[in-house]
């Protein structure tokens, strides 16, 4: 098997894996509040990623780009790392789990599939990014798919409700921190940046639980059944910890566009597992909605790739021209 094939397998695996947090979180939410689950998830995640990172450094498998210093001079990076952790990870996870009180896990997964579009919206508002006509049409198609899903008369949730807005807020929380996360990763490295985010997510929600007087001991309820132990292991160790290493592995071999295309499998993964694991209904409108969202997102990513290629070509030509030696007269 070639490195490219391994990269595609890794990217597809991540696309399927990242569609199931809302599924595996459902049995755990039966015995603890969403905010306690978020704290537990990211505490396990930063311990897992910290061990992996330090073992990688010790064995020479990983390299540290720069030290993340906790001092006043580095206050800007500390602030954005905290925002990425508390908002981009913690609030994202908390709101998503909270929405499951009102909507189904498959609906949650489909709405989370809008994240790439929301990221570009943030780029449009803050960084001068521009949509192409094709991307705007694809974005409208994706939102149409979500509207079809929400308005399904056979849905268990009986149409649009507050849970859909909460879930959309979850996706927006992740998207708003995308550019800050990318900037930190460029400076400190992807794995180190994820580790810092998980630490801040755990500390932030731990402080919140302490202030509101939440019962930390309810986290021990995760040991009440083998199923819940398996779910928190998948959620904290697998999805929040090891999966980012697999994602980076895939991205290095098939590129950002390839992994981005594979991530469009998230809504499908959520839907399939929700049907088989949670017994959710399969309705014609739900199938149509998921198909519309996935096709729209794939076309959206494709249009973005063509836009980047079109921008890169003039720059490449310019570099070639400027590199040619001038002839003497």
């Amino acid at each position: 098997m070639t490195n490219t094939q391994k990269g595609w397998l890794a990217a597809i695996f991540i696309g399927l894996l990242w569609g199931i947090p809302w599924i595996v979180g459902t049995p755990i939410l039966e015995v603890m509040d969403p905010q306690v689950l978020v704290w537990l998830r990211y505490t396990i995640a930063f311990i897992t990623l910290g061990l992996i990172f330090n073992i990688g450094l010790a064995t020479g498998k990983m390299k540290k780009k720069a030290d993340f210093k906790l001092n006043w001079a580095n206050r800007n990076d500390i602030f954005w790392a905290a925002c990425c952790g508390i908002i981009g990870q913690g609030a994202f996870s908390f709101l998503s789990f909270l929405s499951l009180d009102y909507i189904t896990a498959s609906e949650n997964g489909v709405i989370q599939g809008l994240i790439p579009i929301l990221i570009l919206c943030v780029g449009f508002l803050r960084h001068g990014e521009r949509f192409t006509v094709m991307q705007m049409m694809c974005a409208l198609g994706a939102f149409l798919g979500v509207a079809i899903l929400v308005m399904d008369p056979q849905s268990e949730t009986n149409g649009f409700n507050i849970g859909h807005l909460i879930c959309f807020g979850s996706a927006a929380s992740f998207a708003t921190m995308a550019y800050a996360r990318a900037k930190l990763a460029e400076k400190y490295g992807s794995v180190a940046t994820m580790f810092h985010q998980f630490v801040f997510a755990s500390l932030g929600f731990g402080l919140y639980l302490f202030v509101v007087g939440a019962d930390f001991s309810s986290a021990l309820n995760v040991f009440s059944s083998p199923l819940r132990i398996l779910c928190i292991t998948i959620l904290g160790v697998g999805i929040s910890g090891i999966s980012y290493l697999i994602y980076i592995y895939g991205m290095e071999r098939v590129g950002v566009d390839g992994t981005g295309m594979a991530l469009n499998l998230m809504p499908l993964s959520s839907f399939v597992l929700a049907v088989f694991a949670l017994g959710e209904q399969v309705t014609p409108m739900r199938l149509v909605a998921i198909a519309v969202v996935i096709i729209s997102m794939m076309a959206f990513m494709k249009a973005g790739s063509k836009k980047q290629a079109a921008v890169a070509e003039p720059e490449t030509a310019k570099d070639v021209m400027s590199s040619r030696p001038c002839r003497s007269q």
Side-chain angles (χ1 to χ4, degrees):
M1 185 179 292
T2 65
N3 284 336
T4 300
Q5 291 172 329
K6 292 178 181 177
W8 276 112
L9 283 177
I12 291 170
F13 174 75
I14 291 301
L16 296 173
L17 183 67
W18 284 0
I20 69 171
W22 340 118
I23 313 296
V24 297
T26 300
I28 306 174
L29 289 171
E30 295 173 356
V31 295
M32 70 180 71
D33 293 331
Q35 61 264 33
V36 178
L37 175 54
V38 172
W39 171 76
L40 179 62
R41 172 186 183 177
Y42 288 110
T43 299
I44 294 173
F46 90 72
I47 292 173
T48 301
L49 207 56
L51 288 173
I52 293 173
F53 188 46
N54 282 284
I55 292 172
L57 291 175
T59 58
K61 299 291 184 180
M62 296 182 184
K63 294 182 179 179
K64 186 184 293 186
K65 283 190 173 182
D67 288 327
F68 187 79
K69 298 178 180 179
L70 296 174
N71 55 36
W72 181 251
N74 200 38
R75 62 188 180 279
N76 189 57
D77 287 353
I78 294 172
F79 171 78
W80 284 111
C83 288
C84 288
I86 296 172
I87 299 174
Q89 295 292 338
F92 157 68
S93 187
F94 171 65
L95 293 174
S96 186
F97 288 137
L98 184 63
S99 72
L100 295 176
D101 288 339
Y102 308 93
I103 64 176
T104 64
S106 59
E107 287 177 311
N108 184 301
V110 172
I111 293 174
Q112 297 294 350
L114 299 176
I115 286 177
I117 292 177
L118 296 178
I119 289 175
L120 192 59
C121 289
V122 173
F124 172 78
L125 294 172
R126 291 191 56 193
H127 303 281
E129 296 286 345
R130 292 291 182 269
F131 286 100
T132 65
V133 174
M134 183 62 180
Q135 283 179 314
M136 287 190 286
M137 293 177 62
C138 293
L140 290 175
F143 282 105
L144 175 63
V146 172
I148 294 172
L149 182 75
V150 169
M151 298 304 174
D152 184 357
Q154 295 178 288
S155 173
E156 299 94 321
T157 56
N158 299 317
F160 179 78
N161 61 57
I162 188 65
H164 297 104
L165 291 177
I166 294 173
C167 189
F168 185 81
S170 165
S173 295
F174 186 89
T176 53
M177 293 294 110
Y179 285 89
R181 188 182 302 114
K183 187 175 180 180
L184 290 170
E186 184 178 350
K187 182 175 181 179
Y188 297 103
S190 299
V191 177
T193 297
M194 294 311 304
F195 171 71
H196 299 148
Q197 289 180 69
F198 293 162
V199 169
F200 279 112
S202 176
L203 291 176
F205 270 78
L207 178 61
Y208 170 73
L209 293 178
F210 178 78
V211 170
V212 300
D215 183 11
F216 281 90
S217 64
S218 65
L220 297 175
N221 292 334
V222 76
F223 297 107
S224 60
S225 74
L227 175 61
R228 294 190 179 103
I229 294 173
L230 175 63
C231 287
I232 195 61
T233 301
I234 294 172
L235 190 60
V237 177
I239 297 174
S240 298
I242 298 173
S243 71
Y244 285 97
L245 302 179
I246 302 174
Y247 174 73
I248 294 168
Y249 175 88
M251 189 167 57
E252 288 174 345
R253 284 156 180 78
V254 298
V256 175
D257 294 335
T259 50
M261 292 290 284
L263 291 182
N264 290 309
L265 293 171
M266 288 170 57
L268 179 62
S269 174
S270 295
F271 174 72
V272 171
L273 196 58
V275 169
F276 287 100
L278 303 179
E280 291 188 10
Q281 295 180 5
V282 179
T283 67
M285 282 189 68
R286 185 167 287 183
L287 292 174
V288 170
I290 291 171
V292 169
V293 170
I294 292 175
I295 292 171
S296 297
M297 292 305 302
M298 292 181 69
F300 180 87
M301 297 295 295
K302 192 70 175 177
S305 301
K306 290 181 178 179
K307 176 184 174 182
Q308 291 176 356
V311 171
E313 283 180 6
E315 293 295 327
T316 303
K318 182 179 179 180
D319 291 342
V320 170
M321 292 296 294
S322 62
S323 64
R324 291 178 181 175
C326 296
R327 294 181 182 180
S328 57
Q329 298 297 323

